[in-house]
Amino acid sequence: MLNLDSISVSYGKHVVLSGLSLSVREGAVVGLLGPNGCGKSTLVRSIAGAQQCLGAVSYGGRSGRALQDVTGYMPQEIPGHIALTAMESVLVSAQRGGSGWRVPKKDVERAYAALDALGIAALANTYLGECSGGQRQLISLAQTLVHGPELVLLDEPTSALDLKHQVRVLRSVRKHVHGSEATVAERQKEKNENESSDAEADDSAQPSRLALVVLHDINLATRFCDEVLLMTAGDVVAQGTPLEVCTSENLSRVYDTEVAVNSDEDGVLTVVAR
């Protein structure tokens, strides 16, 4: 369980988060939604330990350095001036602070597999400065996931990507958490079709992980997130499943524009601003 207790952050006199408290269960991909400037990135940075804050953050009873050791954080800004290739940058993350000239074969294999899973194995020997913003974003995600973190924090991981790679990224996140790339609707359909003890055993064998993903595309969130946190003005005003949170009333109020929400026969929501 991720527990936040009275998280407060101010930039000078500007208060971004003021006493925010909530709990989020593990075993889920959780979307963090809300308008620009509402505090989404600040909240994620605070959880990652990249932003100084007041209050307490814990996950599975861990806090401080112990929490950072099991956390993978992908920031919104991806630097391109680092003189490393894609493979080298992912290897650094795979080794998690290891030193020495010899690189274990298993780390090389893990790094290549992380790149390949995101469709960018061909970039392995390409320097970061030669990559596009979207390519660096995919490499950064490979860095984040390669060491198998229990808590994954992603700040707008799809912002510079085309539709194909947006889907690939979010399916990869779901596979990291659930062991399967299936979307929320696909996973529910599989459970309905396979209500056997074997299927339940497979679920229980998957390590307990949590991914908190900042997204601006509400339609991606409703398709790929098991749970949604809806923020406005530094506070979480709604928490629950996409069906519970992403209502026309909630979204219209938070985004200050008229929003229509429709659902297909599989329960997949489509959100349109009018």
Side-chain angles (χ1 to χ4, degrees), residues 237-254:
V237 295
Q239 177 178 0
T241 66
L243 187 62
E244 293 168 337
V245 172
C246 295
T247 65
S248 177
E249 180 182 359
N250 281 344
L251 297 177
S252 297
R253 173 169 48 86
V254 166

PDB file of all heavy atoms in Angstrom, residues 237-254:
ATOM      1  N   VAL A 237      -9.584  15.012  -5.676  1.00  0.00           N
ATOM      2  CA  VAL A 237     -11.011  15.224  -5.413  1.00  0.00           C
ATOM      3  C   VAL A 237     -11.855  13.988  -5.720  1.00  0.00           C
ATOM      4  O   VAL A 237     -13.030  13.940  -5.360  1.00  0.00           O
ATOM      5  CB  VAL A 237     -11.539  16.426  -6.222  1.00  0.00           C
ATOM      6  CG1 VAL A 237     -10.871  17.707  -5.741  1.00  0.00           C
ATOM      7  CG2 VAL A 237     -11.306  16.237  -7.731  1.00  0.00           C
ATOM      8  N   ALA A 238     -11.250  12.990  -6.394  1.00  0.00           N
ATOM      9  CA  ALA A 238     -11.982  11.755  -6.658  1.00  0.00           C
ATOM     10  C   ALA A 238     -10.984  10.624  -6.845  1.00  0.00           C
ATOM     11  O   ALA A 238      -9.924  10.808  -7.456  1.00  0.00           O
ATOM     12  CB  ALA A 238     -12.861  11.889  -7.899  1.00  0.00           C
ATOM     13  N   GLN A 239     -11.297   9.442  -6.318  1.00  0.00           N
ATOM     14  CA  GLN A 239     -10.435   8.271  -6.419  1.00  0.00           C
ATOM     15  C   GLN A 239     -11.305   7.041  -6.587  1.00  0.00           C
ATOM     16  O   GLN A 239     -12.288   6.856  -5.864  1.00  0.00           O
ATOM     17  CB  GLN A 239      -9.566   8.136  -5.162  1.00  0.00           C
ATOM     18  CG  GLN A 239      -8.677   6.897  -5.145  1.00  0.00           C
ATOM     19  CD  GLN A 239      -7.788   6.832  -3.899  1.00  0.00           C
ATOM     20  OE1 GLN A 239      -7.828   7.720  -3.043  1.00  0.00           O
ATOM     21  NE2 GLN A 239      -6.978   5.798  -3.794  1.00  0.00           N
ATOM     22  N   GLY A 240     -10.956   6.205  -7.568  1.00  0.00           N
ATOM     23  CA  GLY A 240     -11.730   4.997  -7.806  1.00  0.00           C
ATOM     24  C   GLY A 240     -11.454   4.456  -9.187  1.00  0.00           C
ATOM     25  O   GLY A 240     -10.471   4.833  -9.842  1.00  0.00           O
ATOM     26  N   THR A 241     -12.326   3.585  -9.663  1.00  0.00           N
ATOM     27  CA  THR A 241     -12.173   3.053 -11.008  1.00  0.00           C
ATOM     28  C   THR A 241     -12.473   4.154 -12.025  1.00  0.00           C
ATOM     29  O   THR A 241     -13.122   5.159 -11.690  1.00  0.00           O
ATOM     30  CB  THR A 241     -13.137   1.880 -11.241  1.00  0.00           C
ATOM     31  OG1 THR A 241     -14.488   2.382 -11.217  1.00  0.00           O
ATOM     32  CG2 THR A 241     -12.970   0.797 -10.189  1.00  0.00           C
ATOM     33  N   PRO A 242     -12.010   3.978 -13.283  1.00  0.00           N
ATOM     34  CA  PRO A 242     -12.349   4.977 -14.302  1.00  0.00           C
ATOM     35  C   PRO A 242     -13.853   5.204 -14.418  1.00  0.00           C
ATOM     36  O   PRO A 242     -14.302   6.347 -14.598  1.00  0.00           O
ATOM     37  CB  PRO A 242     -11.771   4.367 -15.588  1.00  0.00           C
ATOM     38  CG  PRO A 242     -10.614   3.559 -15.117  1.00  0.00           C
ATOM     39  CD  PRO A 242     -11.061   2.960 -13.810  1.00  0.00           C
ATOM     40  N   LEU A 243     -14.637   4.145 -14.302  1.00  0.00           N
ATOM     41  CA  LEU A 243     -16.089   4.276 -14.403  1.00  0.00           C
ATOM     42  C   LEU A 243     -16.640   5.142 -13.267  1.00  0.00           C
ATOM     43  O   LEU A 243     -17.557   5.935 -13.471  1.00  0.00           O
ATOM     44  CB  LEU A 243     -16.738   2.890 -14.371  1.00  0.00           C
ATOM     45  CG  LEU A 243     -18.243   2.823 -14.636  1.00  0.00           C
ATOM     46  CD1 LEU A 243     -18.560   3.325 -16.046  1.00  0.00           C
ATOM     47  CD2 LEU A 243     -18.755   1.398 -14.456  1.00  0.00           C
ATOM     48  N   GLU A 244     -16.059   5.015 -12.079  1.00  0.00           N
ATOM     49  CA  GLU A 244     -16.520   5.780 -10.924  1.00  0.00           C
ATOM     50  C   GLU A 244     -16.066   7.235 -10.966  1.00  0.00           C
ATOM     51  O   GLU A 244     -16.808   8.143 -10.591  1.00  0.00           O
ATOM     52  CB  GLU A 244     -15.999   5.131  -9.640  1.00  0.00           C
ATOM     53  CG  GLU A 244     -16.581   3.748  -9.348  1.00  0.00           C
ATOM     54  CD  GLU A 244     -15.841   3.029  -8.249  1.00  0.00           C
ATOM     55  OE1 GLU A 244     -14.657   3.342  -7.995  1.00  0.00           O
ATOM     56  OE2 GLU A 244     -16.435   2.118  -7.628  1.00  0.00           O
ATOM     57  N   VAL A 245     -14.850   7.472 -11.446  1.00  0.00           N
ATOM     58  CA  VAL A 245     -14.249   8.807 -11.371  1.00  0.00           C
ATOM     59  C   VAL A 245     -14.494   9.635 -12.619  1.00  0.00           C
ATOM     60  O   VAL A 245     -14.801  10.836 -12.537  1.00  0.00           O
ATOM     61  CB  VAL A 245     -12.729   8.691 -11.110  1.00  0.00           C
ATOM     62  CG1 VAL A 245     -12.053  10.058 -11.213  1.00  0.00           C
ATOM     63  CG2 VAL A 245     -12.486   8.065  -9.736  1.00  0.00           C
ATOM     64  N   CYS A 246     -14.357   9.002 -13.792  1.00  0.00           N
ATOM     65  CA  CYS A 246     -14.414   9.757 -15.052  1.00  0.00           C
ATOM     66  C   CYS A 246     -15.859   9.924 -15.522  1.00  0.00           C
ATOM     67  O   CYS A 246     -16.261   9.434 -16.585  1.00  0.00           O
ATOM     68  CB  CYS A 246     -13.562   9.073 -16.120  1.00  0.00           C
ATOM     69  SG  CYS A 246     -11.803   9.068 -15.714  1.00  0.00           S
ATOM     70  N   THR A 247     -16.629  10.609 -14.730  1.00  0.00           N
ATOM     71  CA  THR A 247     -18.000  10.933 -15.092  1.00  0.00           C
ATOM     72  C   THR A 247     -18.042  12.301 -15.753  1.00  0.00           C
ATOM     73  O   THR A 247     -17.127  13.123 -15.574  1.00  0.00           O
ATOM     74  CB  THR A 247     -18.905  10.946 -13.847  1.00  0.00           C
ATOM     75  OG1 THR A 247     -18.480  12.015 -12.983  1.00  0.00           O
ATOM     76  CG2 THR A 247     -18.836   9.622 -13.110  1.00  0.00           C
ATOM     77  N   SER A 248     -19.094  12.551 -16.475  1.00  0.00           N
ATOM     78  CA  SER A 248     -19.255  13.853 -17.124  1.00  0.00           C
ATOM     79  C   SER A 248     -19.246  14.976 -16.088  1.00  0.00           C
ATOM     80  O   SER A 248     -18.623  16.026 -16.288  1.00  0.00           O
ATOM     81  CB  SER A 248     -20.561  13.879 -17.930  1.00  0.00           C
ATOM     82  OG  SER A 248     -20.762  15.149 -18.513  1.00  0.00           O
ATOM     83  N   GLU A 249     -19.899  14.739 -14.964  1.00  0.00           N
ATOM     84  CA  GLU A 249     -19.975  15.753 -13.906  1.00  0.00           C
ATOM     85  C   GLU A 249     -18.595  16.067 -13.331  1.00  0.00           C
ATOM     86  O   GLU A 249     -18.198  17.236 -13.210  1.00  0.00           O
ATOM     87  CB  GLU A 249     -20.911  15.278 -12.790  1.00  0.00           C
ATOM     88  CG  GLU A 249     -21.048  16.285 -11.652  1.00  0.00           C
ATOM     89  CD  GLU A 249     -21.945  15.764 -10.538  1.00  0.00           C
ATOM     90  OE1 GLU A 249     -22.469  14.634 -10.663  1.00  0.00           O
ATOM     91  OE2 GLU A 249     -22.118  16.490  -9.543  1.00  0.00           O
ATOM     92  N   ASN A 250     -17.842  15.013 -12.966  1.00  0.00           N
ATOM     93  CA  ASN A 250     -16.516  15.217 -12.370  1.00  0.00           C
ATOM     94  C   ASN A 250     -15.564  15.919 -13.334  1.00  0.00           C
ATOM     95  O   ASN A 250     -14.870  16.879 -12.972  1.00  0.00           O
ATOM     96  CB  ASN A 250     -15.905  13.880 -11.960  1.00  0.00           C
ATOM     97  CG  ASN A 250     -16.470  13.356 -10.653  1.00  0.00           C
ATOM     98  OD1 ASN A 250     -17.086  14.099  -9.893  1.00  0.00           O
ATOM     99  ND2 ASN A 250     -16.264  12.082 -10.397  1.00  0.00           N
ATOM    100  N   LEU A 251     -15.506  15.420 -14.578  1.00  0.00           N
ATOM    101  CA  LEU A 251     -14.552  15.962 -15.540  1.00  0.00           C
ATOM    102  C   LEU A 251     -14.918  17.383 -15.961  1.00  0.00           C
ATOM    103  O   LEU A 251     -14.037  18.238 -16.125  1.00  0.00           O
ATOM    104  CB  LEU A 251     -14.464  15.049 -16.765  1.00  0.00           C
ATOM    105  CG  LEU A 251     -13.944  13.631 -16.490  1.00  0.00           C
ATOM    106  CD1 LEU A 251     -13.963  12.802 -17.769  1.00  0.00           C
ATOM    107  CD2 LEU A 251     -12.532  13.649 -15.901  1.00  0.00           C
ATOM    108  N   SER A 252     -16.195  17.648 -16.138  1.00  0.00           N
ATOM    109  CA  SER A 252     -16.622  18.999 -16.514  1.00  0.00           C
ATOM    110  C   SER A 252     -16.259  20.002 -15.431  1.00  0.00           C
ATOM    111  O   SER A 252     -15.814  21.125 -15.722  1.00  0.00           O
ATOM    112  CB  SER A 252     -18.136  19.029 -16.768  1.00  0.00           C
ATOM    113  OG  SER A 252     -18.488  18.200 -17.858  1.00  0.00           O
ATOM    114  N   ARG A 253     -16.414  19.596 -14.179  1.00  0.00           N
ATOM    115  CA  ARG A 253     -16.104  20.488 -13.066  1.00  0.00           C
ATOM    116  C   ARG A 253     -14.602  20.736 -12.934  1.00  0.00           C
ATOM    117  O   ARG A 253     -14.161  21.875 -12.809  1.00  0.00           O
ATOM    118  CB  ARG A 253     -16.662  19.880 -11.761  1.00  0.00           C
ATOM    119  CG  ARG A 253     -16.277  20.626 -10.502  1.00  0.00           C
ATOM    120  CD  ARG A 253     -17.079  20.109  -9.320  1.00  0.00           C
ATOM    121  NE  ARG A 253     -17.084  18.652  -9.256  1.00  0.00           N
ATOM    122  CZ  ARG A 253     -16.128  17.931  -8.668  1.00  0.00           C
ATOM    123  NH1 ARG A 253     -15.104  18.534  -8.092  1.00  0.00           N
ATOM    124  NH2 ARG A 253     -16.218  16.610  -8.627  1.00  0.00           N
ATOM    125  N   VAL A 254     -13.816  19.680 -13.016  1.00  0.00           N
ATOM    126  CA  VAL A 254     -12.372  19.799 -12.806  1.00  0.00           C
ATOM    127  C   VAL A 254     -11.688  20.512 -13.965  1.00  0.00           C
ATOM    128  O   VAL A 254     -10.780  21.335 -13.757  1.00  0.00           O
ATOM    129  CB  VAL A 254     -11.753  18.406 -12.580  1.00  0.00           C
ATOM    130  CG1 VAL A 254     -10.235  18.456 -12.708  1.00  0.00           C
ATOM    131  CG2 VAL A 254     -12.150  17.874 -11.208  1.00  0.00           C
TER     132      VAL A 254
END
